[in-house]
Structure formats: structure tokens, C-alpha cells
């Protein structure tokens, strides 16, 4: 089993930046692909970004390309999401997830963190 704890959310003005972190338990962090999803009130949970377990290949939703960067530090069992040039439409609960490989649907991932709220004011 894998336990994920997300942090770093908060309130920020449009155009500002936030850095989300997700810390994983155990010594097998490098065995998992990692991803970020987000869910706004009344909306479905959508893919945001993902990173592979071994080649540092990254994947992004079209809506965040050029603004968000996902990275991982396997020695610290942590994955990050750097969020720049934030827009009000980025407002959502952001969830960290782990799985066998990067997939663009939420049903393709095995473990989930508790989520952290990101609110972008206009």
C-alpha cells in the first residue's frame, strides 16, 4: 500500500504561482508513475499532469501546457507541481495519484492523496 499526502494549496491572485508537493510513504516511490488531477465543484475529475517512473517523461493537459511543470525527487519520495501564470479557471481541489503508468483517466490510477485546495482570484 502507498500513502500520499498533498500540500501547498492556497489562495493566490491571477497571474501568481503556487508549488504543490506530494509526499509518499515507503521505499518504492521510484516504482510508480505519478500524476496530478483536479476537480472543481460540480465538475468531473480531470487530468492535469503526469511523470513516468524511470525516464522522467512528462505529460500535460492542453489547458496547462506552458504554465505548469511536474517533477519528482525519488530520493525524497516527493512529486511536485509548479503552477505559474495561474488563472481563475485553475481553481479546484488538486489530487496527487500513483500508478503503474501515466494514464489520462482517473480510473487508471491505483492510489490517491487527500487533495489540496487551490483558489485563484481575479
Amino acid at each position: 500500500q502507498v500513502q500520499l499526502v498533498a500540500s501547498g494549496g492556497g489562495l493566490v491572485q491571477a497571474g501568481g504561482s503556487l508549488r504543490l508537493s506530494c509526499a509518499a510513504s515507503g521505499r518504492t516511490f521510484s516504482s510508480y508513475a505519478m500524476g496530478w488531477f483536479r476537480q472543481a465543484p460540480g465538475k468531473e475529475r480531470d487530468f492535469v499532469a503526469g511523470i513516468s517512473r524511470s525516464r522522467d517523461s512528462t505529460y500535460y493537459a492542453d489547458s496547462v501546457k506552458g504554465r505548469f511543470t511536474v517533477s519528482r525527487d525519488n530520493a525524497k519520495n516527493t512529486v511536485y507541481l509548479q503552477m505559474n501564470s495561474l488563472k481563475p479557471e485553475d481553481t479546484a481541489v488538486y489530487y496527487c495519484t500513483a500508478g503503474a503508468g501515466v494514464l489520462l483517466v482517473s480510473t487508471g490510477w491505483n492510489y490517491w492523496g487527500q487533495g489540496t485546495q487551490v483558489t485563484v482570484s481575479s
Side-chain angles (χ1 to χ4, degrees):
Q1 297 182 342
V2 177
Q3 188 171 18
L4 304 173
V5 180
S7 62
L11 175 64
V12 65
Q13 289 183 294
S17 298
L18 285 173
R19 185 177 178 87
L20 306 183
S21 299
C22 178
S25 63
R27 298 186 295 111
T28 59
F29 176 77
S30 62
S31 298
Y32 296 94
M34 302 296 296
W36 292 92
F37 282 71
R38 66 187 181 185
Q39 187 168 25
K43 305 294 184 180
E44 64 184 4
R45 188 173 298 185
D46 292 327
F47 175 80
V48 176
I51 185 166
S52 64
R53 61 183 179 180
S54 61
R55 295 202 297 164
D56 286 337
S57 297
T58 56
Y59 309 85
Y60 299 95
D62 288 341
S63 59
V64 306
K65 285 181 179 178
R67 300 189 297 120
F68 291 8
T69 303
V70 63
S71 61
R72 67 190 298 163
D73 186 340
N74 288 344
K76 298 175 65 176
N77 288 356
T78 303
V79 64
Y80 305 95
L81 185 66
Q82 179 66 47
M83 310 164 67
N84 298 328
S85 301
L86 283 163
K87 304 175 180 179
E89 51 262 44
D90 295 319
T91 296
V93 176
Y94 283 71
Y95 296 91
C96 175
T97 185
V102 175
L103 294 173
L104 306 185
V105 293
S106 61
T107 53
W109 300 84
N110 303 114
Y111 306 100
W112 294 87
Q114 84 286 0
T116 184
Q117 176 71 48
V118 172
T119 302
V120 184
S121 62
S122 60

